[in-house]
């Protein structure tokens, strides 16, 4: 906890943790750069040499935990999201601290850091109770999302994380976004299907607004029909 940067806290959410009223902790920084990302400030906060998490909606993690502790009787769990939470070495300590309040933990991840997932798994206190892993593009296209010089193989990382999840016994889901201009389409679903295996795989529509790449804000939201078509493909491919 001492080593975590300032975070953003959503005190209550009814939609981020299936079946539970939850709080959401957003951690800054990310190891990908998805142009459609809606968490622009969080992702860019992790880039800045200066501490750009000072002020604004960012608060110290101890303050966030104190607020969660006060509300623990009305909460069923806490979601740790981002940015990408697994880039932070102190993630396990945060999960453990939330567990010590008697609350369940859901982790949202892009799957680019399987070693951190293994670390979390290694101890019951730091093991999340639910994980949502994004399947963003066909694995062969993930290099389009890297933020700088290649320091890892994103397709290999994704495959390893997906396998960890499938074999973990931890409740989980895979998630994809229906993107405009068929940027994410049937070929991506086919290529990703082996990673999802028989696990739940949900497809939601992209909604423009605060995109990391501003040009994406002028693209149309994914249509209902197209989203439903991709969701049905994901459902069938995930459960052949
Ligand atoms: S969508 Fe997720 S993985 Fe992509 S840049 Fe935003 S926070 Fe990172």
């Amino acid at each position: 906890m001492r080593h975590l940067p300032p975070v953003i806290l959503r005190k209550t959410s009814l939609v981020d943790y299936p079946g539970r009223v939850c709080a959401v902790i957003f951690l800054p920084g990310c190891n990908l750069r998805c142009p459609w990302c809606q968490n622009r400030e969080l992702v860019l906060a992790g880039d800045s040499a200066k501490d750009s998490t000072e002020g604004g909606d960012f608060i110290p993690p101890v303050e966030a935990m104190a607020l969660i502790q006060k509300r623990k009787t009305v909460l069923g769990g806490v979601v740790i999201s981002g940015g990408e939470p697994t880039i932070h070495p102190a993630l396990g300590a945060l999960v453990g601290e939330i567990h010590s309040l008697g609350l369940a933990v859901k982790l949202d991840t892009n799957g680019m850091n399987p070693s951190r997932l293994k670390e979390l798994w290694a101890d019951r206190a730091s093991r999340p109770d639910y994980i949502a892993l994004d399947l963003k593009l066909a694995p062969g296209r993930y290099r389009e999302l890297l933020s700088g010089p290649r320091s890892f193989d994103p397709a290999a990382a994704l495959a390893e994380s997906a396998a960890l999840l499938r074999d973990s016994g931890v409740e989980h889901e895979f998630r994809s976004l229906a993107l405009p201009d068929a940027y994410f389409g049937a070929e991506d679903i086919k290529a990703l299907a082996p990673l999802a295996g028989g696990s739940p795989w949900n497809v939601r529509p992209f909604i423009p607004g605060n995109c990391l790449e501003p040009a994406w804000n002028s693209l149309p939201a994914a249509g209902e029909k197209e989203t439903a078509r991709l969701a049905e493909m994901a459902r069938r491919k995930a459960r052949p």
Side-chain angles (χ1 to χ4, degrees):
M1 284 288 290
R2 264 182 305 139
H3 303 295
L4 278 177
V7 303
I8 292 177
L9 176 70
R10 182 180 295 153
K11 287 186 197 161
T12 311
S13 166
L14 302 177
V15 297
D16 288 284
Y17 196 143
R20 290 178 190 264
V21 177
C22 66
V24 187
I25 294 175
F26 296 92
L27 294 172
C30 187
N31 44 13
L32 291 182
R33 289 294 178 276
C34 312
W36 56 84
C37 176
Q38 295 288 312
N39 291 330
R40 193 163 198 277
E41 290 74 20
L42 276 159
V43 169
L44 297 180
D47 276 358
S48 178
K50 180 179 171 298
D51 185 0
S52 58
T53 60
E54 271 175 21
D57 293 332
F58 288 94
I59 57 175
V62 285
E63 200 177 307
M65 285 306 300
L67 287 164
I68 288 170
Q69 180 162 20
K70 268 191 200 159
R71 298 175 51 72
K72 68 178 184 178
T73 51
V74 295
L75 295 173
V78 176
V79 176
I80 304 177
S81 190
E84 174 50 40
T86 63
I87 65 173
H88 298 285
L91 177 61
L94 177 61
V95 176
E97 189 154 334
I98 297 167
H99 276 156
S100 72
L101 298 177
L103 295 170
V105 176
K106 170 176 175 267
L107 174 70
D108 292 343
T109 179
N110 62 19
M112 293 297 106
N113 197 341
S115 351
R116 182 81 68 224
L117 291 180
K118 279 186 203 156
E119 273 173 38
L120 297 180
W121 254 243
D123 184 340
R124 193 174 172 75
S126 61
R127 194 177 311 147
D129 306 279
Y130 192 113
I131 298 191
L133 195 159
D134 292 339
L135 299 177
K136 295 173 180 298
L137 296 172
R141 297 182 62 200
Y142 260 69
R143 289 197 185 283
E144 298 172 28
L145 306 177
L146 289 181
S147 60
R150 293 172 193 173
S151 54
F152 63 100
D153 176 350
L158 183 69
E160 192 177 346
S161 293
L164 276 170
L165 224 62
R166 292 194 311 268
D167 300 340
S168 66
V170 172
E171 201 176 355
H172 63 275
E173 67 176 296
F174 292 95
R175 308 185 300 192
S176 296
L177 271 187
L179 296 167
D181 289 343
Y183 198 82
F184 174 86
E187 292 307 312
D188 295 282
I189 297 255
K190 283 182 200 159
L192 289 165
L195 301 191
S199 300
W201 183 6
N202 300 310
V203 179
R204 295 167 296 131
F206 157 82
I207 298 170
N210 183 33
C211 293
L212 187 57
E213 179 55 61
W216 277 67
N217 287 324
S218 48
L219 296 175
E224 241 176 69
K225 263 192 182 171
E226 178 61 3
T227 304
R229 187 180 79 88
L230 294 174
E232 177 59 14
M233 272 195 75
R235 194 190 65 75
R236 279 189 287 109
K237 290 288 174 187
R239 299 188 184 95

